[in-house]
Amino acid sequence: MQTSLTERYKTRRGWLAKQIIGGAALIGSSGVAPDRNLFDKNLRYLTGIAHQNAYLLLAPQGVTVERAETLSG
């Protein structure tokens, strides 16, 4: 049985998420690369996305925002 690309990317992210213990991983594109298709090969391997402004945040235990602050208070 063949798996779809979407399932492959999901499986890869799942494997990485299991390696993260008590933390998070942020993988972003550097925006600079000699080849426009290789902004970040790790990001592309995990998501299939090759875009210079893309990020992947993996937080298996979730993210809590206690309070959002702005310039006006």
Side-chain angles (χ1 to χ4, degrees):
M1 182 173 112
Q2 282 189 325
T3 58
S4 69
L5 278 176
T6 303
E7 285 300 315
R8 278 192 240 167
Y9 295 131
K10 185 177 180 180
T11 300
R12 292 171 183 173
R13 290 190 304 270
W15 180 87
L16 179 58
K18 288 178 185 175
Q19 308 308 309
I20 302 169
I21 299 171
L26 178 63
I27 300 171
S29 174
S30 66
V32 178
D35 181 343
R36 63 184 295 269
N37 292 318
L38 295 175
F39 286 107
D40 191 307
K41 62 185 174 185
N42 296 316
L43 181 67
R44 188 167 190 175
Y45 178 79
L46 293 167
T47 65
I49 297 170
H51 191 275
Q52 64 183 3
N53 296 320
Y55 291 88
L56 170 64
L57 174 63
L58 282 177
Q61 286 77 37
V63 176
T64 302
V65 177
E66 293 187 21
R67 180 180 148 189
E69 293 188 26
T70 64
L71 292 175
S72 61

